[in-house]
Amino acid sequence: MTPLDSLYDLTAELYGLVQQPLLAEEREDMITKVESLLQERSQYIDELVQSKESQKDSRGKIIVSMNAIIDSTLLKWKKSVEEDLQKTKAKKQHVNRYVNPYGNETFDGSFYDKRN
């Protein structure tokens, strides 16, 4: 099996994986699978860059078109994870404010005398 065949197979597998919806319960497994496939692909890409084999085959164009969709989907996944992290951080701050409402200083223009 040539590096181009391996790269095509890995790209097709990765393409199929990113076509599935990213569910919160399966997020860790999906990210782990995607990372491993991307690492394998990078090795084959390095081999192809050195051999210049991809210029002779039409599968290279198919790989590039699939890669564009994979990239856009991975960016959407990244934004989704970032939004979840921001929501979690905001929720944590809200809970801390609820538990200790007088713990934070207010900056609304009021003055508190601290000389006592």
Side-chain angles (χ1 to χ4, degrees):
M1 186 177 249
T2 65
L4 184 61
D5 294 333
S6 301
L7 179 65
Y8 182 79
D9 292 340
L10 286 172
T11 304
E13 184 178 352
L14 186 60
Y15 181 77
L17 193 63
V18 300
Q19 294 299 317
Q20 300 173 5
L22 182 64
L23 303 175
E25 304 88 33
E26 301 173 356
R27 182 181 293 165
E28 291 289 328
D29 294 334
M30 293 282 277
I31 291 173
T32 304
K33 289 177 187 176
V34 167
E35 284 178 348
S36 66
L37 288 173
L38 288 174
Q39 287 176 353
E40 284 185 63
R41 278 184 70 221
S42 68
Q43 294 171 355
Y44 289 115
I45 289 172
D46 291 340
E47 289 179 28
L48 282 176
V49 168
Q50 294 172 357
S51 70
K52 304 285 185 187
E53 180 184 340
S54 62
Q55 294 176 353
K56 299 176 186 176
D57 201 340
S58 64
R59 287 180 292 173
K61 293 178 183 178
I62 296 170
I63 290 172
V64 170
S65 65
M66 283 193 292
N67 196 41
I69 295 171
I70 290 169
D71 287 343
S72 66
T73 305
L74 290 179
L75 285 174
K76 289 177 188 174
W77 285 9
K78 180 184 173 191
K79 287 181 183 179
S80 171
V81 170
E82 287 174 350
E83 287 174 1
D84 288 347
L85 287 174
Q86 288 176 353
K87 287 178 185 176
T88 303
K89 185 178 177 181
K91 186 176 181 181
K92 183 178 176 182
Q93 288 175 350
H94 178 65
V95 168
N96 286 340
R97 284 188 201 138
Y98 182 77
V99 170
N100 189 6
Y102 301 109
N104 296 335
E105 296 180 19
T106 59
F107 298 103
D108 60 353
S110 59
F111 175 75
Y112 293 106
D113 188 11
K114 295 185 179 182
R115 288 186 279 171
N116 298 5

